[in-house]
């Protein structure tokens, strides 16, 4: 039986105390759900890594957050697409993750405030990601990164760029992504009740984002992409969380990549739940995960 690590269990007990009685964000009106997501993430944005620069900017017409690490190597930059079920979170909720990503990769990270469902369902968020990508300045070599629904949007963005014959990112860093809408995978069944993200929660997120008839579109569910398109993607780094209903999404994607001869790195992060990289100020496994991301990013972008 899969169990949380000791450090993950300690955080789960803390969350049970601090969040007792709070509804799930999808159970309240979207504006209230977003405020819940913001307030719940504030605890992970304490004791932030120091930056050489951290400021709010307007990028492709979207309020965005730029963080530049003190160890910036000067050649690369990362467009960061935050997670949150396509409906919640923001550059503010992911400030800590963006800073840790910047330090690990030795590159500036730009997190965009794309439009959110249900007010703006598919394809609005993807269109914003495309606009943000096109607005990236050519003075750096740009890659992309995203967690959960953000990883979905990153992969969909690359498929859209392929279809349009446009320039691709140098690399993509994809953390515990949602890539399909099959709720009967091994991990959906095994982790249906969590801890953390549940199968019911993911159903609710999908219902906010895309109609059932849209979920066979690779730009909605990238596991539906063709082998030739997957073969043309730039170098990928993928990780998954062991105690996550979405674990199988990444495992299925990795199996597809292996079957067509690709060797993109996949790290299964044991003993942790979905979203664990948000907890970088308190969870050792999150800190280790960022170190692995940085190591792989430098290998992919020499």
């Amino acid at each position: 039986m899969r169990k949380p690590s000791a450090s993950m269990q300690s955080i789960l007990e803390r969350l049970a105390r601090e969040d007792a009685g709070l509804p799930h964000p999808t159970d309240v009106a979207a504006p209230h759900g977003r405020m819940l997501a913001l307030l719940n993430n504030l605890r992970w944005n304490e004791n932030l890594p120091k930056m050489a620069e951290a400021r709010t900017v307007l990028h492709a017409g979207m309020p965005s957050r730029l963080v530049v690490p003190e160890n910036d190597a000067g050649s690369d930059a990362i467009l960061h697409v935050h997670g949150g079920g396509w409906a919640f979170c923001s550059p503010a909720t992911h400030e800590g993750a963006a800073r840790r990503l910047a330090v690990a990769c030795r590159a500036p990270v730009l997190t965009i405030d794309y439009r959110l469902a249900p007010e703006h369902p598919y394809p609005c968020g993807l269109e914003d990601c495309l606009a943000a990508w096109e607005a990236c300045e050519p003075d750096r070599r740009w890659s992309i990164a995203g967690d959960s629904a953000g990883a979905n949007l990153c992969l969909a963005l690359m498929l859209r760029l392929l279809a349009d014959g446009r320039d691709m990112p140098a690399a993509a860093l994809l953390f515990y992504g949602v890539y399909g809408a099959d709720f009967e995978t091994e991990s959906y069944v095994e982790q249906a009740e969590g801890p953390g993200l549940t199968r019911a929660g993911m159903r609710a997120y999908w219902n906010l984002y895309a109609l059932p008839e849209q979920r066979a579109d690779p730009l909605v569910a990238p596991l539906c992409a063709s082998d030739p398109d997957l073969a043309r993607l730039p170098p990928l780094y993928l990780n998954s969380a062991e105690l996550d209903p979405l674990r199988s999404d990444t495992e299925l994607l990795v199996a597809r990549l292996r079957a067509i001869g690709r060797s993109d790195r996949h790290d299964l992060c044991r003993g942790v739940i979905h979203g664990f990289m948000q907890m970088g100020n308190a969870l050792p496994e999150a800190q280790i995960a960022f170190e692995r991301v940085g190591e792989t990013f430098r290998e992919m972008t020499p």
Side-chain angles (χ1 to χ4, degrees):
M1 181 179 178
R2 303 177 190 269
K3 295 183 178 180
S5 68
S7 50
M8 187 77 257
Q9 182 61 38
S10 177
I11 287 181
L12 289 172
E13 292 169 1
R14 172 187 171 184
L15 293 176
R17 294 192 303 270
E18 294 180 357
D19 297 351
L22 291 179
H24 190 275
T26 59
D27 291 335
V28 297
H32 294 164
R34 291 184 192 121
M35 183 55 66
L36 274 174
L38 173 61
L39 295 175
N40 285 342
N41 277 278
L42 289 179
R43 57 192 153 211
W44 312 129
N45 287 329
E46 298 174 350
N47 303 315
L48 294 174
K50 185 179 179 182
M51 295 285 106
E53 183 180 0
R55 59 189 175 94
T56 299
V57 299
L58 199 65
H59 182 80
M62 287 172 273
S64 304
R65 185 71 170 167
L66 176 68
V67 295
V68 182
E70 294 181 336
N71 64 347
D72 178 18
S75 57
D76 290 279
I78 298 171
L79 180 66
H80 181 219
V81 185
H82 68 78
W86 302 286
F88 305 105
C89 295
S90 67
T93 62
H94 281 61
E95 176 83 7
R99 290 188 181 212
R100 292 181 180 90
L101 181 64
V103 172
C105 295
R106 304 176 187 174
V109 169
L110 178 68
T111 308
I112 58 170
D113 192 27
Y114 60 90
R115 286 174 293 173
L116 299 174
E119 299 92 334
H120 303 286
Y122 172 81
C124 296
L126 179 57
E127 290 174 346
D128 286 352
C129 291
L130 179 63
W133 174 253
E134 292 177 333
C136 291
E137 295 290 340
D139 57 335
R140 296 258 183 166
R141 177 176 55 178
W142 284 84
S143 295
I144 57 175
D147 66 300
S148 191
N152 169 286
L153 289 168
C154 284
L155 190 45
L157 170 63
M158 290 186 287
L159 294 171
R160 173 70 180 272
L161 293 173
L162 280 175
D164 294 347
R166 302 184 190 183
D167 291 340
M168 299 287 284
L173 310 170
L174 307 177
F175 314 138
Y176 37 83
V178 48
Y179 306 122
D182 178 3
F183 303 108
E184 300 301 325
T185 64
E186 177 182 329
S187 62
Y188 263 121
V189 173
E190 180 185 279
Q191 303 297 146
E193 301 304 321
L197 182 65
T198 65
R199 178 162 61 177
M202 270 313 306
R203 286 185 187 273
Y205 289 133
W206 270 109
N207 289 337
L208 293 175
Y209 180 59
L211 298 171
E213 56 266 30
Q214 295 175 311
R215 298 176 195 175
D217 185 336
L219 299 185
V220 177
L223 273 172
C224 297
S226 69
D227 285 351
D229 280 348
L230 292 179
R232 295 166 59 203
L233 294 173
L236 309 178
Y237 169 83
L238 305 105
N239 73 15
S240 55
E242 184 180 23
L243 307 178
D244 184 354
L246 295 178
R247 186 189 72 243
S248 292
D249 278 28
T250 296
E251 292 171 340
L252 291 166
L253 176 58
V254 170
R256 294 276 311 279
L257 295 169
R258 298 284 187 267
I260 58 175
R262 293 183 59 122
S263 56
D264 304 277
R265 178 171 175 177
H266 168 226
D267 287 331
L268 172 61
C269 303
R270 297 193 180 277
V272 293
I273 67 170
H274 185 81
F276 76 98
M277 290 174 72
Q278 283 290 93
M279 306 168 186
N281 65 346
L283 184 66
E285 288 89 343
Q287 297 157 14
I288 293 169
F290 279 111
E291 291 173 2
R292 290 175 177 170
V293 170
E295 292 168 1
T296 307
F297 179 74
R298 292 191 295 276
E299 292 171 359
M300 292 192 300
T301 56

